[in-house]
Amino acid sequence: MRISKSAGLICIVFLIGCGGGGTSPSVGLEPLTPPPTPPAPTPLFNAEPIVLNDPQTYYSTICSSPVISSVIPIDINTDEYDDFVIHYWCDQEEFGNSVRGETANIIVAFISDGFGGYNVDNYNVFGESYPSLGGASRKFKVFDINGDGKQDIAYAMNNEDGRSAYSWEDQLSNGTQPTVLLSTETGFTVERMGEEDWGHAVSITETGDVVFAGFNYGTQAYRLQGEEWVDVTSDYPTVSPSAHLIKNDTIANAERRSDSFGFYLTKVTNGIWERFAEYMFTKDFDIQWETWNNSGTGNYDTYPVSTFYGKKYIGGMFDTMCEFDGMLIAKLNAATLKDGSEPIEGQYYQETDTYPVNMLMFFALVDEEIVLQDSPITNEDINVNYNNWTCNDINSDQGNDIVASVFSETWIDSREYRGGVPIVYLNDGTGSLTSVDVSEWPTFSQEVDTAGFMHDIDNNGTTDLIIHTLNTNQVRADIEIYTTNSGI
């Protein structure tokens, strides 16, 4: 029988024997080697933190449980890791009492061993084991003032430790001298200067002049010439103790008036400082207000209420400023009643019956006029409390970001407890700022009052997470550093 060519082709295609018995070997059914398992992604944060152990043996010499005023990373011994200067000071045991004398305090220097470990080394850094800054501290600035290639620290100083501030004599008692930690070959000298003041703000100009501002005495400015501090206050106008920013011979000054608050700009024209623009919010009305350090005394003062974005807030005022992509950011600090109600004109309220509110406002200078801009932040969280925040590039993409070191406080039941993790707003490259999901970030090892910030502690090009307690009250006040493996 003749087999057609087409039938033969069918047999070939299907590999089936035609006209006879037997089977063909299987083709295409050989076992395949499975693809390699992709490596697990490298986590953003290393699991085990670097720990700066609680220096209780040092701060216990001033009181049993001081607050932690500031944790400042700064290079002291020029190894791979940055070091830390931490300031501790003591609250009054009972607030509102009339007290005289310096607020008990101590500074502690943690020095890196170059391998991720830290030890207290006050004696070699400061020349003594129990150094003092001269009181409580508020804001600070870091800058190489003496031009030795190392950073120095200027502190706005006061004695605002919970003592009374109602009478003029009590207000004076809240004052102490401004202070600078000036770098040496091995550490710092503590430099105190000028008049005692209730210091709250400090700035350092591009040329290294240090400008302090306080509520009692006013503006004080000093210039380091050789080894001497020279008073150059007359070179500057009055600067605000609430908030001010000095850059390129221009000063932004926060200001509160009887009927409004906001800020104004001054600049040098032919050697004279002149105001040239301002932006003010008009208050709605006044209430009677008892501050936290007068709590229970019955001493009330007139205090303003203003409306922002459709809601009334108590005591709005700008308390810090930052330059951001050609704009000025002013942080508004205000308060809202814990019960959710709005304040009523002329009524009596205590600060202890409120929650703090903080919001960032963006301003641009257009044809010598200050213009409030739409916020570039998507879903800003304003129901938080914080003093310190930064507006710089934290992920090396050439765009300024914002990190707010919010207080994670266990006593505020109605607000999210963050475990010390800051709020991070990242720039998307167009100037818009989006909140980073930090829900999977590491938190402090204890559920206590904490705050955190971002800083490249190991100088590998990626910012790390530093978390510390707000006080040392019945907790182990370690500082925990979670280093990163990549950019955020």
Side-chain angles (χ1 to χ4, degrees), residues 72-301:
I72 304 175
I74 193 167
D75 187 15
I76 298 175
N77 63 356
T78 65
D79 66 8
E80 177 184 349
Y81 289 82
D82 283 353
D83 311 292
F84 286 89
V85 172
I86 305 171
H87 190 212
Y88 301 83
W89 52 264
C90 303
D91 276 327
Q92 293 294 320
E93 292 186 5
E94 294 184 18
F95 289 169
N97 291 336
S98 182
V99 176
R100 301 293 180 266
E102 179 182 296
T103 297
N105 76 101
I106 186 173
I107 44 177
V108 173
F110 277 93
I111 303 301
S112 165
D113 62 10
F115 301 97
Y118 285 86
N119 298 292
V120 175
D121 195 7
N122 274 5
Y123 189 81
N124 286 316
V125 173
F126 302 112
E128 56 181 309
S129 297
Y130 307 99
S132 166
L133 287 184
S137 60
R138 182 59 173 87
K139 297 170 187 172
F140 63 86
K141 290 292 182 182
V142 177
F143 186 83
D144 182 8
I145 298 170
N146 57 6
D148 65 352
K150 298 182 178 181
Q151 292 181 314
D152 312 293
I153 309 172
Y155 294 89
M157 299 294 299
N158 54 61
N159 288 323
E160 188 183 351
D161 53 13
R163 67 187 67 188
S164 173
Y166 191 71
S167 69
W168 176 241
E169 291 77 12
D170 286 344
Q171 291 182 40
L172 290 177
S173 177
N174 276 268
T176 189
Q177 283 183 297
T179 302
V180 172
L181 289 184
L182 195 65
S183 60
T184 66
E185 185 175 343
T186 58
F188 297 99
T189 58
V190 180
E191 312 268 328
R192 308 201 66 204
M193 62 203 69
E195 301 296 329
E196 293 186 349
D197 199 1
W198 190 342
H200 194 265
V202 60
S203 57
I204 304 176
T205 69
E206 294 95 331
T207 59
D209 288 357
V210 187
V211 184
F212 300 97
F215 292 110
N216 294 338
Y217 187 83
T219 302
Q220 301 184 67
Y222 296 91
R223 180 178 301 153
L224 186 65
Q225 293 185 346
E227 297 182 355
E228 299 295 326
W229 291 98
V230 178
D231 189 334
V232 292
T233 305
S234 61
D235 290 354
Y236 293 90
T238 298
V239 296
S240 170
S242 295
H244 67 268
L245 182 66
I246 303 178
K247 188 167 185 180
N248 298 329
D249 291 330
T250 300
I251 300 177
N253 261 317
E255 184 176 55
R256 175 177 285 158
R257 302 172 185 168
S258 60
D259 62 344
S260 58
F261 86 94
F263 73 97
Y264 63 91
L265 300 179
T266 61
K267 65 180 178 181
V268 175
T269 304
N270 297 323
I272 300 174
W273 289 94
E274 296 180 343
R275 292 194 184 201
F276 69 96
E278 68 176 37
Y279 195 100
M280 305 299 293
F281 293 91
T282 302
K283 73 177 180 182
D284 296 337
F285 52 78
D286 287 321
I287 59 171
Q288 296 300 309
W289 181 251
E290 183 187 72
T291 60
W292 68 273
N293 53 341
N294 286 324
S295 181
T297 65
N299 294 316
Y300 288 82
D301 290 307

